């Protein structure tokens, strides 16, 4: 098989910096940036004309994004981010007093806040299920299933943030269906890492295009099961409020910057041209090797995640590193080493979560491995 070469030339990332954290805020390729600039120029040439054209352009973009996810366009709405998607889901689903919203100890912090807000408002309770990092799919399903008594809703990651672990969503959807528990799938990291990620049978699925598909920021999708399509409302009340069609109701969010939503399909086309499925599998090998190199330099190990996300790995931090000072450490690494990494904590363990995208090469990880031990010492 041909080895695809890294393509930093397609991005505008500072070449003097090691960019090893695509997973947090993504990175928009030059081509999509150019399209956004052209769209903005058009908008500023005649704002009235631009806003008259937005609805039709959004329809085109939405249909392309739904087709990329291989999901029914009638149940696919645009939202600014996965946080908004989860918020809409929890605002729509019935949460009876005394019931439970079940999360796991891998749930993204802001999603947990959303669950706590809706639990408070409905006199319900949030329950966190402990899922071991090393758990295989069967164990994950067993421990979550055991917590579903009296549950109104399960909110579960498709790929977790702190632990970069893939959850067995198909099985969890089946268990929830069987027990009459609503399931919200947080697929923030799923588009481009999981094929056809939109979790058939889930009540709600949300995922970010601004992470792995490298779309402009503030571009995410919400997939809504048929039974909730009338009830689901966008977070901003605007002129489309009375539109009975779900996707259109979410399109017009007042005077807003619609350029990212309109430009997003350009990034999907670029990934396609980059031979993404093959490239993703090569990036998986790359981040494996990069993680091994870094772990060796730090004299630690690579976390044994049973089902890791394709393009992210966790390298254990030395025990001497105090994660409560993590923000300061990341800022030091950024300033002194010219490297962008993220640190995560799980179950009293600290990790560097490494990413790989099409612009990365093995030397990025090797350089980090050369430089990082001195800062952590
Ligand atoms: C699992 C998970 N859920 C939700 C989010 C929130 O995404 P956003 O900031 O786009 O709303 C993230 C962001 O990293 C995440 O990793």
């Amino acid at each position: 098989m041909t080895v695809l070469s890294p393509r930093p030339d397609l991005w505008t990332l500072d070449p003097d910096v090691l960019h090893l954290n695509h997973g947090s805020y993504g990175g928009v390729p030059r081509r999509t940036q150019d399209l956004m600039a052209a769209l903005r120029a058009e908008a500023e040439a005649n704002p009235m004309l631009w806003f008259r054209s937005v609805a039709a352009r959004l329809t085109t973009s939405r249909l392309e994004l739904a087709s990329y996810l291989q999901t029914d366009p009638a149940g696919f709405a645009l939202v600014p981010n996965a946080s908004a998607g989860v918020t809409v889901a929890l605002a729509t689903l019935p949460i009876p007093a005394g019931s439970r919203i079940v999360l796991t100890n891998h749930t993204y912090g802001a999603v947990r806040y959303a669950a706590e807000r809706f639990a408070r408002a409905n006199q319900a309770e949030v329950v966190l299920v402990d899922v071991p990092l090393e758990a295989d799919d069967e164990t994950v399903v067993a421990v979550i299933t055991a917590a579903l008594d009296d549950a109104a809703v399960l909110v579960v990651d498709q790929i977790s943030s702190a632990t970069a672990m893939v959850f067995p969503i198909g099985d969890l959807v089946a268990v929830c269906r069987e027990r009459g528990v609503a399931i919200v799938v947080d697929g923030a990291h799923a588009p481009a890492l999981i094929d056809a990620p939109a979790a058939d049978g889930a009540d709600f699925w949300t995922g970010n295009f601004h992470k792995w598909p490298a779309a402009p920021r503030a571009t995410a999708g919400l997939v809504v099961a048929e039974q909730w399509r009338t009830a689901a409302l966008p977070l901003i009340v605007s002129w489309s409020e009375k539109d009975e069609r779900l996707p259109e109701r979410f399109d017009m969010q007042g005077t807003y910057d619609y350029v990212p939503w309109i430009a997003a399909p350009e990034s999907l086309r670029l990934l396609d041209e980059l031979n993404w499925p093959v490239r993703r599998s090569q990036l998986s090998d790359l981040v494996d090797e990069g993680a091994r190199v870094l772990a060796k330099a730090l004299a630690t190990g690579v976390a044994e995640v049973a089902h890791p996300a394709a393009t992210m790995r966790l390298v254990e931090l030395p025990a001497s590193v105090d994660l409560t000072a993590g923000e300061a450490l990341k800022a030091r690494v950024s300033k002194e080493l010219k490297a962008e990494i993220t640190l995560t904590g799980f179950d009293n363990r600290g990790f560097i979560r490494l990413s790989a995208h099409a612009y990365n090469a093995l030397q990025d990880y090797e350089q980090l491995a050369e430089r990082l031990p001195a800062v952590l010492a």
Side-chain angles (χ1 to χ4, degrees), residues 23-24 80-84 108 111 157 159-161 186 188-189 208 210-211 353:
S24 287
N81 48 48
S83 304
Y108 189 69
V111 169
D157 297 303
I159 296 175
S160 53
S161 171
D186 175 358
H189 280 276
N208 284 329
H210 55 223
K211 285 191 190 284
R353 190 192 70 190

Side-chain angles (χ1 to χ4, degrees), residues 157-177:
D157 297 303
Q158 197 160 19
I159 296 175
S160 53
S161 171
T163 49
M165 170 171 157
V166 179
F167 279 67
I169 293 302
D171 293 343
L172 291 169
V173 167
V175 166
C176 286
R177 288 269 75 86

Side-chain angles (χ1 to χ4, degrees), residues 341-372:
I341 56 167
T342 195
L343 305 177
T344 69
F346 181 78
D347 218 7
N348 294 319
R349 295 159 72 186
F351 303 102
I352 300 162
R353 190 192 70 190
L354 290 178
S355 290
H357 209 287
Y359 48 79
N360 288 119
L362 185 58
Q363 70 208 38
D364 297 338
Y365 307 88
E366 289 170 344
Q367 285 177 23
L368 181 68
E370 270 166 38
R371 301 177 201 173
L372 193 58

Side-chain angles (χ1 to χ4, degrees), residues 77 171 313 375:
D171 293 343
R313 293 294 178 275
V375 172

